[in-house]
Amino acid sequence: MPIVQLSDVGQGVNLDLTPEELRAGMWSGATNMRFVNGYAQRFNGISRVFDATAITPYWLTAYVVPTKRYWVHAGTGKAYADDGTARVEITRLAEIGIASITNATTTATLTTSAAHGLTTGNSVTVYGAYPYAYNGTYTITVTSPTAFTYTMASDPGGSATTRGHLIGPGAAVVDFTGARDDRWTGGVLGGVLVMNNGVDVPQYWAGSEKLRTLHGWSSTWTAKILAPFKNYLVAFDVTKNGTRYPHMMKWSAAAVPGAIPHSWDSTDVTLDAGEVDIAETPDLLVDALPLGDALIVYKERSMYAVRYVGYPAIFAVQRLPGDSGMLFRGCGAMTPLGH
């Protein structure tokens, strides 16, 4: 029998063709082997990432911080993070509404939208306010049923233009209200994980504490889709104060590295936040996935490419050829050949 030398035997396994139909270097079957970068190697086996979950997970994503790797998973009501050793619940906490925050040099006066129920000496956490000097964990002095003061590390230079969020001592966990078909969307922007179920206010998580509400996002808004893109967060199919805008694309102000955006105010001319309707076709928005230098937006029977163009428009939206769309959120995936 003649001997044939093959220079490349690591082209993988093809179970669809018969052995005689395979090209040289491809195999009709393999056991305990894998093919990586053109080489065949023995498979080292598998191990359990984590034990059975405490909930039925409908969303799962890997999230990496400098010291460890988490598997974040969410159900209809709760969310957890598991690093392979320990599992912690990261479901959001109850918040107290903020009406305003003002200052006299480094003394902040925070007024709540309803009676706060706090007492002098309580420790509270303020986050998502802008200027950033207002944020932190502070010991407070109560001045009225709806106001208290605290001392900041530096002078913010003026009243808070973004009021942010307030968490009191012993705040209770508040379950999310979505159902099984309210598919989670999100991803990582600037090293921060963002999550959105389309029913509740979008959340973020930076690897510690609990999930928190996006900065600058109104408590009366929701969005069916949330996607990180370049230095922005982009929301689609937005509902404001009970009114749904099914074709709306709304984006945040640009985020600084390592943080999430501080504002979504499209009326502030000093910011690059904005919104526009993708309404060239009447079908509804379904999902959005990045592809190279563009964000591809899928509607039910059409597709659009969103590209960053800078001031004054910030983003340009272009319809792609064809009448194809996406069936439902989560039906698309990244591959070496595209979506």
Side-chain angles (χ1 to χ4, degrees):
M1 177 180 293
I3 297 175
V4 177
Q5 182 174 353
L6 301 178
S7 58
D8 181 3
V9 295
Q11 297 184 34
V13 176
N14 189 324
L15 303 178
D16 297 324
L17 301 178
T18 61
E20 59 270 15
E21 293 176 310
L22 297 176
R23 66 174 180 265
M26 186 166 287
W27 301 84
S28 59
T31 302
N32 297 327
M33 298 292 294
R34 64 178 177 181
F35 301 88
V36 180
N37 296 326
Y39 291 90
Q41 61 181 233
R42 173 186 248 173
F43 202 88
N44 293 327
I46 59 176
S47 63
R48 185 191 298 268
V49 175
F50 52 74
D51 294 328
T53 57
I55 55 170
T56 300
Y58 293 110
W59 190 71
L60 175 71
T61 187
Y63 176 54
V64 180
V65 297
T67 56
K68 60 181 65 177
R69 179 188 184 97
Y70 290 100
W71 286 101
V72 177
H73 49 289
T76 55
K78 295 184 179 297
Y80 291 83
D82 195 312
D83 64 2
T85 301
R87 177 181 301 144
V88 294
E89 183 178 353
I90 59 172
T91 311
R92 61 185 177 169
L93 295 175
E95 298 177 353
I96 302 171
I98 299 175
S100 65
I101 317 179
T102 59
N103 79 300
T105 61
T106 59
T107 299
T109 298
L110 189 150
T111 303
T112 57
S113 53
H116 50 62
L118 302 171
T119 60
T120 296
N122 280 160
S123 178
V124 302
T125 298
V126 179
Y127 74 93
Y130 188 81
Y132 296 119
Y134 284 107
N135 300 314
T137 299
Y138 304 101
T139 299
I140 64 170
T141 300
V142 172
T143 56
S144 80
T146 57
F148 59 81
T149 62
Y150 59 88
T151 302
M152 301 170 287
S154 60
D155 185 346
S159 299
T161 55
T162 301
R163 294 189 298 268
H165 308 275
L166 171 64
I167 298 176
V173 169
V174 179
D175 286 356
F176 297 105
T177 62
R180 182 190 64 181
D181 292 336
D182 295 316
R183 297 287 300 253
W184 290 88
T185 57
V188 176
L189 176 73
V192 180
L193 178 68
V194 295
M195 299 171 53
N196 173 60
N197 67 357
V199 176
D200 299 297
V201 175
Q203 306 286 304
Y204 75 92
W205 192 62
S208 62
E209 307 296 336
K210 305 287 189 181
L211 284 163
R212 291 181 173 179
T213 302
L214 283 185
H215 300 175
W217 184 274
S218 171
S219 61
T220 60
W221 299 350
T222 60
K224 292 296 183 183
I225 309 149
L226 184 68
F229 181 57
K230 295 190 179 295
N231 295 325
Y232 300 83
L233 289 175
V234 188
F236 298 89
D237 194 347
V238 178
T239 296
K240 296 183 178 182
N241 307 314
T243 301
R244 183 182 178 187
Y245 301 91
H247 304 289
M248 179 177 286
M249 167 185 160
K250 182 176 182 63
W251 63 91
S252 67
V256 298
I260 60 172
H262 75 273
S263 178
W264 291 76
D265 188 355
S266 59
T267 65
D268 189 337
V269 296
T270 66
L271 301 176
D272 51 356
E275 56 188 44
V276 67
D277 277 354
I278 303 179
E280 183 178 341
T281 52
D283 46 332
L284 300 181
L285 292 160
V286 176
D287 209 346
L289 295 172
L291 183 66
D293 203 40
L295 181 68
I296 307 301
V297 178
Y298 292 93
K299 300 184 82 174
E300 294 170 316
R301 295 177 301 278
S302 56
M303 299 178 293
Y304 295 79
V306 175
R307 293 183 173 86
Y308 176 77
V309 295
Y311 285 101
I314 309 302
F315 290 109
V317 181
Q318 176 187 8
R319 185 180 177 183
L320 299 177
D323 296 319
S324 300
M326 187 178 287
L327 181 66
F328 199 68
R329 286 186 301 280
C331 290
M334 292 289 294
T335 78
L337 300 178
H339 294 164

